[in-house]
Amino acid sequence: MDYTDFLKKSEPTEAEKPASDTEAAAEIVADENIDVQKAVVEELAAEKVAMELKIEDLVKKIAELEAEKTSLVEANKKLEEEKLIIKNAANDTIKKEAENVKLKEENAALVSALAANTESNTSSQIALLDRNLELPDRFIGETREHVINAVKVALEEARENGRIRRAQLLEGVLVANESTGEIEKKRASLEKFFADHQNIFDGEVIAKLKEYGIAHKDGETYLLPSEVIKRTY
């Protein structure tokens, strides 16, 4: 046996091996885990930022849609109001046209009745006042009524002034010639016509007055509705 055998270093056992390799491997694994966790955290943070941006964008879009909705609601409300105004105006126009047609028909019927009554009276009795039948009546059916109204005014004046005989004679004329009230009806109809048009001489009013032979001007000066009524009836 060589004494040098005792001098050789013996091989270390597994337990005696240094732990540097194991620790190094553990550290590597730990570092890798940290890197993975760090990457995961960074990815989650990035996703969170993206999600917050997306939510912010959606909130803005919702606000814009709400504003647009409010604007559309207001516009729709305005359109409904305008439609109601137009509908009411159309109904008023239709109503006025129907009233005008009815007034025309009533006036035509009254004129016919008065003409028939006048013709009957002329043939059956002697008229109190003579009128040349060959001359055209400027205002059909109104001559007799205006005369009767003039007699009424004269009767009131005679009574107020104590002219007894004159009042008795005029009263007899009125008893024999009862008024039909045609002038009063036409006056009321004309007053209503002006009132329906707010006493404004627009194209429709002027055309209607011309149709019935009623002047709306004195020369170049426009008359007031009250002046037209007074001059006519």
PDB file of all heavy atoms in Angstrom, residues 189-219:
ATOM      1  N   SER A 189    -124.756  89.829 -41.807  1.00  0.00           N
ATOM      2  CA  SER A 189    -123.897  88.920 -42.563  1.00  0.00           C
ATOM      3  C   SER A 189    -122.590  89.596 -42.943  1.00  0.00           C
ATOM      4  O   SER A 189    -121.513  88.995 -42.862  1.00  0.00           O
ATOM      5  CB  SER A 189    -124.625  88.438 -43.821  1.00  0.00           C
ATOM      6  OG  SER A 189    -123.785  87.630 -44.614  1.00  0.00           O
ATOM      7  N   LEU A 190    -122.669  90.879 -43.349  1.00  0.00           N
ATOM      8  CA  LEU A 190    -121.466  91.620 -43.731  1.00  0.00           C
ATOM      9  C   LEU A 190    -120.576  91.870 -42.513  1.00  0.00           C
ATOM     10  O   LEU A 190    -119.344  91.772 -42.592  1.00  0.00           O
ATOM     11  CB  LEU A 190    -121.855  92.948 -44.385  1.00  0.00           C
ATOM     12  CG  LEU A 190    -120.706  93.784 -44.981  1.00  0.00           C
ATOM     13  CD1 LEU A 190    -119.951  92.973 -46.019  1.00  0.00           C
ATOM     14  CD2 LEU A 190    -121.245  95.072 -45.601  1.00  0.00           C
ATOM     15  N   GLU A 191    -121.197  92.184 -41.372  1.00  0.00           N
ATOM     16  CA  GLU A 191    -120.426  92.389 -40.143  1.00  0.00           C
ATOM     17  C   GLU A 191    -119.685  91.101 -39.761  1.00  0.00           C
ATOM     18  O   GLU A 191    -118.518  91.136 -39.367  1.00  0.00           O
ATOM     19  CB  GLU A 191    -121.356  92.817 -39.004  1.00  0.00           C
ATOM     20  CG  GLU A 191    -121.886  94.241 -39.167  1.00  0.00           C
ATOM     21  CD  GLU A 191    -122.935  94.580 -38.110  1.00  0.00           C
ATOM     22  OE1 GLU A 191    -123.419  93.650 -37.416  1.00  0.00           O
ATOM     23  OE2 GLU A 191    -123.292  95.770 -37.985  1.00  0.00           O
ATOM     24  N   LYS A 192    -120.369  89.972 -39.871  1.00  0.00           N
ATOM     25  CA  LYS A 192    -119.739  88.684 -39.545  1.00  0.00           C
ATOM     26  C   LYS A 192    -118.610  88.372 -40.518  1.00  0.00           C
ATOM     27  O   LYS A 192    -117.563  87.842 -40.144  1.00  0.00           O
ATOM     28  CB  LYS A 192    -120.786  87.571 -39.579  1.00  0.00           C
ATOM     29  CG  LYS A 192    -120.241  86.203 -39.175  1.00  0.00           C
ATOM     30  CD  LYS A 192    -121.330  85.151 -39.188  1.00  0.00           C
ATOM     31  CE  LYS A 192    -120.793  83.803 -38.700  1.00  0.00           C
ATOM     32  NZ  LYS A 192    -119.663  83.329 -39.505  1.00  0.00           N
ATOM     33  N   PHE A 193    -118.829  88.711 -41.796  1.00  0.00           N
ATOM     34  CA  PHE A 193    -117.811  88.467 -42.822  1.00  0.00           C
ATOM     35  C   PHE A 193    -116.532  89.224 -42.493  1.00  0.00           C
ATOM     36  O   PHE A 193    -115.426  88.673 -42.563  1.00  0.00           O
ATOM     37  CB  PHE A 193    -118.350  88.894 -44.187  1.00  0.00           C
ATOM     38  CG  PHE A 193    -117.363  88.738 -45.310  1.00  0.00           C
ATOM     39  CD1 PHE A 193    -116.988  87.489 -45.776  1.00  0.00           C
ATOM     40  CD2 PHE A 193    -116.802  89.859 -45.904  1.00  0.00           C
ATOM     41  CE1 PHE A 193    -116.073  87.345 -46.806  1.00  0.00           C
ATOM     42  CE2 PHE A 193    -115.896  89.725 -46.936  1.00  0.00           C
ATOM     43  CZ  PHE A 193    -115.530  88.468 -47.394  1.00  0.00           C
ATOM     44  N   PHE A 194    -116.682  90.501 -42.111  1.00  0.00           N
ATOM     45  CA  PHE A 194    -115.507  91.288 -41.729  1.00  0.00           C
ATOM     46  C   PHE A 194    -114.862  90.720 -40.469  1.00  0.00           C
ATOM     47  O   PHE A 194    -113.635  90.635 -40.369  1.00  0.00           O
ATOM     48  CB  PHE A 194    -115.897  92.753 -41.500  1.00  0.00           C
ATOM     49  CG  PHE A 194    -116.032  93.554 -42.771  1.00  0.00           C
ATOM     50  CD1 PHE A 194    -117.163  94.308 -43.023  1.00  0.00           C
ATOM     51  CD2 PHE A 194    -115.026  93.562 -43.720  1.00  0.00           C
ATOM     52  CE1 PHE A 194    -117.295  95.047 -44.183  1.00  0.00           C
ATOM     53  CE2 PHE A 194    -115.137  94.292 -44.881  1.00  0.00           C
ATOM     54  CZ  PHE A 194    -116.277  95.038 -45.120  1.00  0.00           C
ATOM     55  N   ALA A 195    -115.673  90.345 -39.497  1.00  0.00           N
ATOM     56  CA  ALA A 195    -115.138  89.808 -38.239  1.00  0.00           C
ATOM     57  C   ALA A 195    -114.361  88.511 -38.482  1.00  0.00           C
ATOM     58  O   ALA A 195    -113.316  88.283 -37.873  1.00  0.00           O
ATOM     59  CB  ALA A 195    -116.274  89.563 -37.241  1.00  0.00           C
ATOM     60  N   ASP A 196    -114.872  87.655 -39.374  1.00  0.00           N
ATOM     61  CA  ASP A 196    -114.187  86.396 -39.678  1.00  0.00           C
ATOM     62  C   ASP A 196    -112.818  86.632 -40.315  1.00  0.00           C
ATOM     63  O   ASP A 196    -111.936  85.768 -40.240  1.00  0.00           O
ATOM     64  CB  ASP A 196    -115.041  85.531 -40.616  1.00  0.00           C
ATOM     65  CG  ASP A 196    -116.274  84.971 -39.911  1.00  0.00           C
ATOM     66  OD1 ASP A 196    -116.277  84.956 -38.664  1.00  0.00           O
ATOM     67  OD2 ASP A 196    -117.219  84.565 -40.603  1.00  0.00           O
ATOM     68  N   HIS A 197    -112.641  87.787 -40.949  1.00  0.00           N
ATOM     69  CA  HIS A 197    -111.363  88.117 -41.595  1.00  0.00           C
ATOM     70  C   HIS A 197    -110.601  89.182 -40.811  1.00  0.00           C
ATOM     71  O   HIS A 197    -109.740  89.883 -41.361  1.00  0.00           O
ATOM     72  CB  HIS A 197    -111.600  88.594 -43.032  1.00  0.00           C
ATOM     73  CG  HIS A 197    -112.044  87.504 -43.957  1.00  0.00           C
ATOM     74  ND1 HIS A 197    -113.342  87.034 -43.983  1.00  0.00           N
ATOM     75  CD2 HIS A 197    -111.349  86.749 -44.861  1.00  0.00           C
ATOM     76  CE1 HIS A 197    -113.443  86.070 -44.883  1.00  0.00           C
ATOM     77  NE2 HIS A 197    -112.250  85.870 -45.417  1.00  0.00           N
ATOM     78  N   GLN A 198    -110.921  89.291 -39.489  1.00  0.00           N
ATOM     79  CA  GLN A 198    -110.225  90.227 -38.591  1.00  0.00           C
ATOM     80  C   GLN A 198    -110.239  91.674 -39.109  1.00  0.00           C
ATOM     81  O   GLN A 198    -109.309  92.447 -38.892  1.00  0.00           O
ATOM     82  CB  GLN A 198    -108.764  89.795 -38.368  1.00  0.00           C
ATOM     83  CG  GLN A 198    -108.585  88.539 -37.531  1.00  0.00           C
ATOM     84  CD  GLN A 198    -108.854  87.277 -38.302  1.00  0.00           C
ATOM     85  OE1 GLN A 198    -108.429  87.146 -39.453  1.00  0.00           O
ATOM     86  NE2 GLN A 198    -109.556  86.347 -37.706  1.00  0.00           N
ATOM     87  N   ASN A 199    -111.312  92.028 -39.851  1.00  0.00           N
ATOM     88  CA  ASN A 199    -111.479  93.394 -40.365  1.00  0.00           C
ATOM     89  C   ASN A 199    -110.296  93.832 -41.236  1.00  0.00           C
ATOM     90  O   ASN A 199    -109.887  95.002 -41.221  1.00  0.00           O
ATOM     91  CB  ASN A 199    -111.684  94.386 -39.215  1.00  0.00           C
ATOM     92  CG  ASN A 199    -113.019  94.193 -38.520  1.00  0.00           C
ATOM     93  OD1 ASN A 199    -114.037  93.923 -39.163  1.00  0.00           O
ATOM     94  ND2 ASN A 199    -113.036  94.329 -37.211  1.00  0.00           N
ATOM     95  N   ILE A 200    -109.727  92.873 -41.969  1.00  0.00           N
ATOM     96  CA  ILE A 200    -108.597  93.158 -42.862  1.00  0.00           C
ATOM     97  C   ILE A 200    -109.059  93.015 -44.306  1.00  0.00           C
ATOM     98  O   ILE A 200    -109.705  92.034 -44.669  1.00  0.00           O
ATOM     99  CB  ILE A 200    -107.432  92.190 -42.585  1.00  0.00           C
ATOM    100  CG1 ILE A 200    -106.921  92.384 -41.145  1.00  0.00           C
ATOM    101  CG2 ILE A 200    -106.293  92.411 -43.584  1.00  0.00           C
ATOM    102  CD1 ILE A 200    -105.865  91.375 -40.745  1.00  0.00           C
ATOM    103  N   PHE A 201    -108.692  93.978 -45.131  1.00  0.00           N
ATOM    104  CA  PHE A 201    -109.066  93.936 -46.549  1.00  0.00           C
ATOM    105  C   PHE A 201    -108.009  93.145 -47.319  1.00  0.00           C
ATOM    106  O   PHE A 201    -107.133  93.708 -47.975  1.00  0.00           O
ATOM    107  CB  PHE A 201    -109.187  95.360 -47.119  1.00  0.00           C
ATOM    108  CG  PHE A 201    -110.434  96.083 -46.693  1.00  0.00           C
ATOM    109  CD1 PHE A 201    -110.400  96.988 -45.653  1.00  0.00           C
ATOM    110  CD2 PHE A 201    -111.648  95.828 -47.317  1.00  0.00           C
ATOM    111  CE1 PHE A 201    -111.537  97.653 -45.247  1.00  0.00           C
ATOM    112  CE2 PHE A 201    -112.800  96.480 -46.915  1.00  0.00           C
ATOM    113  CZ  PHE A 201    -112.749  97.399 -45.875  1.00  0.00           C
ATOM    114  N   ASP A 202    -108.100  91.837 -47.233  1.00  0.00           N
ATOM    115  CA  ASP A 202    -107.185  91.012 -48.010  1.00  0.00           C
ATOM    116  C   ASP A 202    -107.817  90.709 -49.372  1.00  0.00           C
ATOM    117  O   ASP A 202    -108.901  91.193 -49.701  1.00  0.00           O
ATOM    118  CB  ASP A 202    -106.855  89.713 -47.271  1.00  0.00           C
ATOM    119  CG  ASP A 202    -108.097  88.925 -46.877  1.00  0.00           C
ATOM    120  OD1 ASP A 202    -109.174  89.169 -47.485  1.00  0.00           O
ATOM    121  OD2 ASP A 202    -108.005  88.075 -45.988  1.00  0.00           O
ATOM    122  N   GLY A 203    -107.122  89.901 -50.160  1.00  0.00           N
ATOM    123  CA  GLY A 203    -107.602  89.623 -51.517  1.00  0.00           C
ATOM    124  C   GLY A 203    -108.969  88.973 -51.537  1.00  0.00           C
ATOM    125  O   GLY A 203    -109.833  89.307 -52.362  1.00  0.00           O
ATOM    126  N   GLU A 204    -109.194  88.022 -50.626  1.00  0.00           N
ATOM    127  CA  GLU A 204    -110.481  87.320 -50.576  1.00  0.00           C
ATOM    128  C   GLU A 204    -111.620  88.270 -50.224  1.00  0.00           C
ATOM    129  O   GLU A 204    -112.700  88.214 -50.821  1.00  0.00           O
ATOM    130  CB  GLU A 204    -110.409  86.196 -49.541  1.00  0.00           C
ATOM    131  CG  GLU A 204    -111.692  85.378 -49.434  1.00  0.00           C
ATOM    132  CD  GLU A 204    -111.618  84.315 -48.358  1.00  0.00           C
ATOM    133  OE1 GLU A 204    -110.532  84.124 -47.793  1.00  0.00           O
ATOM    134  OE2 GLU A 204    -112.653  83.674 -48.088  1.00  0.00           O
ATOM    135  N   VAL A 205    -111.373  89.164 -49.261  1.00  0.00           N
ATOM    136  CA  VAL A 205    -112.412  90.119 -48.844  1.00  0.00           C
ATOM    137  C   VAL A 205    -112.765  91.062 -49.977  1.00  0.00           C
ATOM    138  O   VAL A 205    -113.943  91.292 -50.279  1.00  0.00           O
ATOM    139  CB  VAL A 205    -111.932  90.910 -47.602  1.00  0.00           C
ATOM    140  CG1 VAL A 205    -112.900  92.051 -47.289  1.00  0.00           C
ATOM    141  CG2 VAL A 205    -111.825  89.989 -46.401  1.00  0.00           C
ATOM    142  N   ILE A 206    -111.736  91.616 -50.629  1.00  0.00           N
ATOM    143  CA  ILE A 206    -111.978  92.569 -51.720  1.00  0.00           C
ATOM    144  C   ILE A 206    -112.727  91.894 -52.869  1.00  0.00           C
ATOM    145  O   ILE A 206    -113.661  92.462 -53.439  1.00  0.00           O
ATOM    146  CB  ILE A 206    -110.637  93.157 -52.212  1.00  0.00           C
ATOM    147  CG1 ILE A 206    -110.025  94.037 -51.100  1.00  0.00           C
ATOM    148  CG2 ILE A 206    -110.840  93.980 -53.476  1.00  0.00           C
ATOM    149  CD1 ILE A 206    -108.629  94.546 -51.425  1.00  0.00           C
ATOM    150  N   ALA A 207    -112.321  90.654 -53.208  1.00  0.00           N
ATOM    151  CA  ALA A 207    -112.996  89.929 -54.289  1.00  0.00           C
ATOM    152  C   ALA A 207    -114.469  89.687 -53.953  1.00  0.00           C
ATOM    153  O   ALA A 207    -115.349  89.821 -54.806  1.00  0.00           O
ATOM    154  CB  ALA A 207    -112.277  88.601 -54.542  1.00  0.00           C
ATOM    155  N   LYS A 208    -114.743  89.335 -52.696  1.00  0.00           N
ATOM    156  CA  LYS A 208    -116.116  89.066 -52.287  1.00  0.00           C
ATOM    157  C   LYS A 208    -116.951  90.349 -52.315  1.00  0.00           C
ATOM    158  O   LYS A 208    -118.110  90.333 -52.744  1.00  0.00           O
ATOM    159  CB  LYS A 208    -116.117  88.457 -50.885  1.00  0.00           C
ATOM    160  CG  LYS A 208    -117.471  87.919 -50.440  1.00  0.00           C
ATOM    161  CD  LYS A 208    -117.910  86.735 -51.274  1.00  0.00           C
ATOM    162  CE  LYS A 208    -116.973  85.557 -51.131  1.00  0.00           C
ATOM    163  NZ  LYS A 208    -117.456  84.370 -51.866  1.00  0.00           N
ATOM    164  N   LEU A 209    -116.378  91.461 -51.880  1.00  0.00           N
ATOM    165  CA  LEU A 209    -117.105  92.738 -51.911  1.00  0.00           C
ATOM    166  C   LEU A 209    -117.426  93.144 -53.354  1.00  0.00           C
ATOM    167  O   LEU A 209    -118.532  93.603 -53.640  1.00  0.00           O
ATOM    168  CB  LEU A 209    -116.272  93.822 -51.221  1.00  0.00           C
ATOM    169  CG  LEU A 209    -116.068  93.670 -49.704  1.00  0.00           C
ATOM    170  CD1 LEU A 209    -115.157  94.764 -49.176  1.00  0.00           C
ATOM    171  CD2 LEU A 209    -117.402  93.692 -48.973  1.00  0.00           C
ATOM    172  N   LYS A 210    -116.452  92.944 -54.246  1.00  0.00           N
ATOM    173  CA  LYS A 210    -116.699  93.272 -55.658  1.00  0.00           C
ATOM    174  C   LYS A 210    -117.803  92.391 -56.233  1.00  0.00           C
ATOM    175  O   LYS A 210    -118.616  92.843 -57.044  1.00  0.00           O
ATOM    176  CB  LYS A 210    -115.405  93.093 -56.459  1.00  0.00           C
ATOM    177  CG  LYS A 210    -114.366  94.171 -56.188  1.00  0.00           C
ATOM    178  CD  LYS A 210    -113.129  93.957 -57.053  1.00  0.00           C
ATOM    179  CE  LYS A 210    -112.109  95.051 -56.822  1.00  0.00           C
ATOM    180  NZ  LYS A 210    -110.882  94.853 -57.657  1.00  0.00           N
ATOM    181  N   GLU A 211    -117.801  91.121 -55.812  1.00  0.00           N
ATOM    182  CA  GLU A 211    -118.820  90.192 -56.304  1.00  0.00           C
ATOM    183  C   GLU A 211    -120.230  90.674 -55.956  1.00  0.00           C
ATOM    184  O   GLU A 211    -121.160  90.510 -56.749  1.00  0.00           O
ATOM    185  CB  GLU A 211    -118.578  88.812 -55.700  1.00  0.00           C
ATOM    186  CG  GLU A 211    -119.586  87.755 -56.143  1.00  0.00           C
ATOM    187  CD  GLU A 211    -119.305  86.403 -55.508  1.00  0.00           C
ATOM    188  OE1 GLU A 211    -118.182  86.205 -54.994  1.00  0.00           O
ATOM    189  OE2 GLU A 211    -120.213  85.549 -55.518  1.00  0.00           O
ATOM    190  N   TYR A 212    -120.374  91.288 -54.775  1.00  0.00           N
ATOM    191  CA  TYR A 212    -121.690  91.775 -54.340  1.00  0.00           C
ATOM    192  C   TYR A 212    -121.887  93.269 -54.627  1.00  0.00           C
ATOM    193  O   TYR A 212    -122.854  93.873 -54.169  1.00  0.00           O
ATOM    194  CB  TYR A 212    -121.865  91.513 -52.845  1.00  0.00           C
ATOM    195  CG  TYR A 212    -122.115  90.066 -52.527  1.00  0.00           C
ATOM    196  CD1 TYR A 212    -121.085  89.246 -52.081  1.00  0.00           C
ATOM    197  CD2 TYR A 212    -123.373  89.494 -52.697  1.00  0.00           C
ATOM    198  CE1 TYR A 212    -121.296  87.901 -51.805  1.00  0.00           C
ATOM    199  CE2 TYR A 212    -123.591  88.151 -52.420  1.00  0.00           C
ATOM    200  CZ  TYR A 212    -122.549  87.363 -51.971  1.00  0.00           C
ATOM    201  OH  TYR A 212    -122.768  86.036 -51.693  1.00  0.00           O
ATOM    202  N   GLY A 213    -120.969  93.850 -55.399  1.00  0.00           N
ATOM    203  CA  GLY A 213    -121.131  95.247 -55.782  1.00  0.00           C
ATOM    204  C   GLY A 213    -120.965  96.217 -54.635  1.00  0.00           C
ATOM    205  O   GLY A 213    -121.593  97.285 -54.617  1.00  0.00           O
ATOM    206  N   ILE A 214    -120.143  95.874 -53.668  1.00  0.00           N
ATOM    207  CA  ILE A 214    -119.926  96.717 -52.495  1.00  0.00           C
ATOM    208  C   ILE A 214    -118.546  97.363 -52.610  1.00  0.00           C
ATOM    209  O   ILE A 214    -117.538  96.674 -52.758  1.00  0.00           O
ATOM    210  CB  ILE A 214    -120.010  95.900 -51.192  1.00  0.00           C
ATOM    211  CG1 ILE A 214    -121.407  95.265 -51.072  1.00  0.00           C
ATOM    212  CG2 ILE A 214    -119.713  96.769 -49.982  1.00  0.00           C
ATOM    213  CD1 ILE A 214    -121.541  94.330 -49.885  1.00  0.00           C
ATOM    214  N   ALA A 215    -118.503  98.697 -52.538  1.00  0.00           N
ATOM    215  CA  ALA A 215    -117.251  99.426 -52.676  1.00  0.00           C
ATOM    216  C   ALA A 215    -116.453  99.353 -51.375  1.00  0.00           C
ATOM    217  O   ALA A 215    -117.013  99.446 -50.284  1.00  0.00           O
ATOM    218  CB  ALA A 215    -117.527 100.883 -53.031  1.00  0.00           C
ATOM    219  N   HIS A 216    -115.146  99.191 -51.521  1.00  0.00           N
ATOM    220  CA  HIS A 216    -114.271  99.176 -50.349  1.00  0.00           C
ATOM    221  C   HIS A 216    -113.350 100.387 -50.310  1.00  0.00           C
ATOM    222  O   HIS A 216    -112.550 100.535 -49.382  1.00  0.00           O
ATOM    223  CB  HIS A 216    -113.424  97.897 -50.336  1.00  0.00           C
ATOM    224  CG  HIS A 216    -112.455  97.810 -51.467  1.00  0.00           C
ATOM    225  ND1 HIS A 216    -112.828  97.458 -52.753  1.00  0.00           N
ATOM    226  CD2 HIS A 216    -111.112  98.042 -51.514  1.00  0.00           C
ATOM    227  CE1 HIS A 216    -111.773  97.457 -53.533  1.00  0.00           C
ATOM    228  NE2 HIS A 216    -110.717  97.804 -52.817  1.00  0.00           N
ATOM    229  N   LYS A 217    -113.469 101.271 -51.332  1.00  0.00           N
ATOM    230  CA  LYS A 217    -112.649 102.480 -51.369  1.00  0.00           C
ATOM    231  C   LYS A 217    -113.518 103.672 -51.759  1.00  0.00           C
ATOM    232  O   LYS A 217    -114.503 103.545 -52.471  1.00  0.00           O
ATOM    233  CB  LYS A 217    -111.501 102.330 -52.383  1.00  0.00           C
ATOM    234  CG  LYS A 217    -110.455 101.314 -51.991  1.00  0.00           C
ATOM    235  CD  LYS A 217    -109.139 101.508 -52.771  1.00  0.00           C
ATOM    236  CE  LYS A 217    -109.333 101.376 -54.268  1.00  0.00           C
ATOM    237  NZ  LYS A 217    -108.030 101.451 -54.987  1.00  0.00           N
ATOM    238  N   ASP A 218    -113.114 104.846 -51.291  1.00  0.00           N
ATOM    239  CA  ASP A 218    -113.728 106.105 -51.705  1.00  0.00           C
ATOM    240  C   ASP A 218    -112.675 106.833 -52.515  1.00  0.00           C
ATOM    241  O   ASP A 218    -111.806 107.500 -51.970  1.00  0.00           O
ATOM    242  CB  ASP A 218    -114.144 106.923 -50.479  1.00  0.00           C
ATOM    243  CG  ASP A 218    -114.874 108.201 -50.880  1.00  0.00           C
ATOM    244  OD1 ASP A 218    -115.131 108.394 -52.090  1.00  0.00           O
ATOM    245  OD2 ASP A 218    -115.169 109.019 -49.978  1.00  0.00           O
ATOM    246  N   GLY A 219    -112.721 106.675 -53.822  1.00  0.00           N
ATOM    247  CA  GLY A 219    -111.646 107.172 -54.667  1.00  0.00           C
ATOM    248  C   GLY A 219    -110.438 106.274 -54.516  1.00  0.00           C
ATOM    249  O   GLY A 219    -110.489 105.088 -54.809  1.00  0.00           O
TER     250      GLY A 219
END
